[in-house]
Amino acid sequence: MASAFELRRRNQLIIAAAVVAVMIALPLGIKDVYIQNILVLTVMYAALSQSWNILSGYCGQISLGHALYFGIGAYASTLLFVKFGIIPWFGMAAGGIFAAAIALIVGWPCFRLGGHYFTIATIVLAEIGLILFLNWSYAGEASGLQIPVSGDSWTTFTFLRSKLPYYYFALGLAAVVWLVTYFIEDSKWGYYWRAVRENTLAAQSLGVQVFRSKMAAAAVSAFFTAIGGSFYAQFVSYIDPDSVMVFQFSLLMALPAVIGGIGTLWGPAVGAAILIPLTELTRSYMGGGGKGFDLIFYGAVIMIIALARPEGLLSLVTRTRPAPP
Amino acid sequence: MLTAENISQILMSGLLMGLIYALIAAGLSLIFGLMDVVNFAHGEFLMTAMYATFGLVVVLSLDPLILSPIVAAIMFVVGAFCYRGIIVHAMRARTNVGMVQVFATFGLAIVIRGLAQFAFTPDYRSIPKSWLGGQTLSLFGVYMPAPQLAGALASLLAFGALWLLMKKTDFGRALEATREDAGAVGLVGIDRNRVFAMGWGLGAALVGLAGAILSIFYYIHPDVGGPFALIAYVTVALGGFGSVFGALAAGVIVGIVEAISATVLQPSMKAIGIYAVYLLVVFLRPRGLFGH
């Protein structure tokens, strides 16, 4: 017998399939590179923010240092490609695994910290990473690395003429992270994570392995964030520490989830779909001349949504919480 | 070569800068202790104060040092206004309160940056002439740049005044009581919102004082606040969230560690020393040096 809960979960899958189908068809009629660019960034941030959501939304460990894992992914695939000729697909996997390992190593001491002390530690670790990369001569220091683009190729994952291949990869990544979140939500880990988020002490007294739960969430979250980083490096074909590892990135990864609905299955995607086009459009239509109108508008939108809809915009359309308690 | 003179020079510049960091962090710490809010627009408050100083210098042709109390007063109004207009709404959130506060203040920070770009363009500005700019004092062969020395003294004075305010005045006692239990103070006739607004005003005034003095020897631009804010977060956490005088000690430690790592490592990596000390301290004492 299918319970209401199982029905709702099945409906989520159907909605997801429909959304993916629409997203596959969406760019087919669009030849404008500028719009394609916005689409790529939108699905990329949906994927990144969902990855962030796994650790910070579901498990409640607010990280504002995910730029570290993003940067590690970007540099791992790029260094392996530029220095050793290893194709980015292997570099991507290596970056993901390396970032997950780093997340476990720094998580070991950091997960003993609570609340703001943890969040500041994540910021500090990302800043240390930024400074190290800025001073690492092998990785090009502040001037960064250029990915050689010889022509359109899936082997080296570089495309000159169209942005569409990048779009479909990013869409695939967003779909995979969504599916992973979907399955975790109803698994042992999903319940552990939410228990840790809601009340760590109570969770512990009920036998939840709090520390291992946090470590697992951090590893999964860092892995997918790094994959996103490798993707971004291929997409822009030039990286430097200031473009892949700055604090701003950490905030940008968190923002869609917060705007859409933190700790929910659809929050990051909804947030990215609203925020990223808005960011890009205000930047190009209001950003001219460095007058700061784009910043004023963008900042005001973030502020108003945070104040008016603390549960996120998703709560406007859903009556019940999408995730079971 | 590390000689005794070199070492005392490093310690002195670290101490002076550290006291300025403490002054920047004081307001952040005060606000956090009062109401558990981390203000992500703190660096933008500093930037606003620097531009306010710059503007007043241009208009009134007075020295930044004379203008510093006026700038602090202006920032008091700005801080109280931000509380009344924005933060009071963020405090009402029932769900994910922490993130709402982070992003409400982060949004505010971006708006302030935009306004600064609009009013002053992204160009770098500096105050060309002031009494202290470029002056240096020497004490037993140890050099002290006059603006940094003034900043350090202003910081000590401000912490002294803050201590008197908290221990000797009714407002200070109201502040202390609200800090202990914001819910219960309403029962004894303290208007919680008024105390919070005053706290925000006071916090912004402290960072305003720091901004006025910083503008003597630092370039002014819309993004100037960021790095200082990051140091302030680390300082506040190192001292123990909410412990204002912990922030004083932590500021000095941060300044000295920075000066040492700039010499031992290299200037471009000096922040790593600060971050390493932060991590080391919180790993050993998860509530900072003076947190409860």
Side-chain angles (χ1 to χ4, degrees):
Chain A
M1 196 184 83
S3 68
F5 170 65
E6 280 165 358
L7 270 178
R8 203 166 70 220
R9 290 217 8 119
R10 195 183 303 158
N11 285 344
Q12 295 290 348
L13 269 185
I14 295 167
I15 295 171
V19 169
V20 170
V22 170
M23 294 302 283
I24 288 174
L26 188 66
L28 291 179
I30 296 168
K31 291 275 168 285
D32 187 354
V33 175
Y34 172 70
I35 309 237
Q36 287 184 349
N37 206 36
I38 293 179
L39 288 174
V40 174
L41 290 175
T42 303
V43 282
M44 182 187 88
Y45 274 106
L48 287 171
S49 195
Q50 188 70 281
S51 314
W52 178 86
N53 197 30
I54 289 173
L55 176 63
S56 300
Y58 282 93
C59 195
Q61 307 302 304
I62 302 294
S63 159
L64 289 178
H66 260 48
L68 177 66
Y69 307 124
F70 187 77
I72 284 174
Y75 267 99
S77 62
T78 307
L79 277 173
L80 288 174
F81 188 32
V82 174
K83 305 281 181 187
F84 302 99
I86 296 169
I87 58 168
W89 300 110
F90 293 117
M92 202 174 253
I97 291 163
F98 187 63
I102 294 283
L104 292 176
I105 292 167
V106 301
W108 192 73
C110 281
F111 282 131
R112 298 191 309 132
L113 303 174
H116 296 293
Y117 293 96
F118 173 79
T119 303
I120 303 238
T122 62
I123 299 177
V124 157
L125 284 162
E127 287 296 311
I128 291 177
L130 173 69
I131 296 172
L132 290 179
F133 273 96
L134 277 171
N135 289 281
W136 188 19
S137 54
Y138 182 72
E141 290 177 319
S143 47
L145 296 165
Q146 178 82 45
I147 296 172
V149 182
S150 46
D152 291 5
S153 158
W154 274 104
T155 316
T156 57
F157 195 31
T158 48
F159 298 91
L160 280 172
R161 270 173 295 164
S162 171
K163 304 263 183 196
L164 282 190
Y166 294 117
Y167 173 79
Y168 286 118
F169 177 85
L171 182 62
L173 181 63
V176 167
V177 187
W178 187 92
L179 264 182
V180 167
T181 317
Y182 173 84
F183 283 116
I184 285 174
E185 212 178 49
D186 194 29
S187 74
K188 179 184 83 174
W189 287 111
Y191 289 97
Y192 280 4
W193 289 349
R194 271 166 279 159
V196 169
R197 175 187 67 193
E198 296 303 329
N199 192 334
T200 309
L201 281 178
Q204 196 152 28
S205 69
L206 288 172
V208 172
Q209 287 172 313
V210 171
F211 183 70
R212 281 178 61 181
S213 295
K214 291 176 178 177
M215 291 286 263
V220 175
S221 182
F223 177 81
F224 285 112
T225 307
I227 301 279
S230 299
F231 163 77
Y232 183 75
Q234 291 298 125
F235 175 54
V236 294
S237 76
Y238 166 74
I239 57 165
D240 62 28
D242 281 326
S243 69
V244 293
M245 234 185 223
V246 281
F247 178 58
Q248 227 66 3
F249 257 114
S250 300
L251 283 170
L252 278 175
M253 279 180 243
L255 207 47
V258 174
I259 298 274
I262 188 171
T264 64
L265 205 46
W266 285 102
V270 169
I274 293 164
L275 199 71
I276 305 306
L278 190 74
T279 314
E280 295 300 315
L281 292 173
T282 48
R283 189 179 294 156
S284 33
Y285 289 103
M286 297 166 91
K291 287 242 188 267
F293 289 127
D294 54 332
L295 294 178
I296 297 170
F297 179 73
Y298 180 62
V301 168
I302 294 170
M303 211 159 67
I304 289 165
I305 295 178
L307 293 178
R309 270 281 135 186
E311 313 83 348
L313 291 173
L314 203 61
S315 67
L316 291 169
V317 288
T318 49
R319 273 172 294 121
T320 50
R321 285 177 66 96
Chain B
M1 265 289 283
L2 275 185
T3 62
E5 234 163 64
N6 274 347
I7 292 170
S8 39
Q9 183 66 58
I10 292 167
L11 290 178
M12 179 54 85
S13 19
L15 175 70
L16 295 182
M17 213 48 217
L19 284 167
I20 296 176
Y21 288 152
L23 182 58
I24 297 172
L28 194 68
S29 177
L30 184 78
I31 292 168
F32 182 88
L34 197 58
M35 52 205 284
D36 254 33
V37 172
V38 178
N39 175 19
F40 268 79
H42 196 69
E44 279 62 35
F45 279 11
L46 182 76
M47 178 265 284
T48 308
M50 290 173 79
Y51 272 116
T53 315
F54 176 77
L56 287 173
V57 167
V58 170
V59 174
L60 301 175
S61 336
L62 289 170
D63 194 82
L65 212 52
I66 296 191
L67 291 169
S68 59
I70 304 174
V71 173
I74 294 173
M75 289 310 294
F76 184 94
V77 177
V78 170
F81 180 79
C82 281
Y83 174 75
R84 291 282 189 194
I86 297 156
I87 309 306
V88 74
H89 301 290
M91 300 291 286
R92 288 206 196 108
R94 297 260 164 92
T95 44
N96 61 81
V97 185
M99 288 317 276
V100 169
Q101 289 162 358
V102 167
F103 283 97
T105 54
F106 170 64
L108 174 66
I110 296 182
V111 171
I112 298 177
R113 264 190 228 184
L115 288 172
Q117 262 194 36
F118 174 68
F120 298 98
T121 77
D123 293 348
Y124 280 51
R125 316 260 173 183
S126 60
I127 291 169
K129 240 195 264 166
S130 60
W131 296 342
L132 300 177
Q135 309 262 25
T136 312
L137 272 78
S138 164
L139 188 74
F140 305 115
V142 178
Y143 291 100
M144 295 177 288
Q148 276 90 326
L149 185 62
L153 293 176
S155 171
L156 288 173
L157 281 174
F159 273 100
L162 201 58
W163 187 81
L164 284 177
L165 182 84
M166 300 223 309
K167 300 289 168 200
K168 305 281 173 196
T169 66
D170 281 346
F171 169 67
R173 278 188 274 270
L175 208 70
E176 198 61 41
T178 315
R179 228 173 132 89
E180 290 293 325
D181 191 338
V185 290
L187 302 173
V188 294
I190 295 174
D191 180 357
R192 193 164 75 123
N193 264 323
R194 200 168 153 269
V195 175
F196 284 165
M198 296 281 278
W200 271 77
L202 204 55
L206 287 166
V207 76
L209 186 60
I213 289 165
L214 215 53
S215 69
I216 301 173
F217 63 100
Y218 222 85
Y219 281 110
I220 305 161
H221 58 103
D223 297 329
V224 69
F228 285 105
L230 191 56
I231 292 179
Y233 301 135
V234 171
T235 306
V236 169
L238 192 62
F241 268 104
S243 162
V244 175
F245 297 96
L248 176 61
V252 172
I253 293 172
V254 163
I256 290 174
V257 167
E258 184 188 58
I260 292 171
S261 19
T263 326
V264 177
L265 301 166
Q266 43 181 300
S268 63
M269 292 173 86
K270 63 182 180 184
I272 284 197
I274 302 176
Y275 301 147
V277 167
Y278 169 75
L279 292 175
L280 198 68
V281 168
V282 292
F283 291 161
L284 295 175
R285 286 182 59 92
R287 300 222 145 268
L289 286 172
F290 304 97
H292 328 279

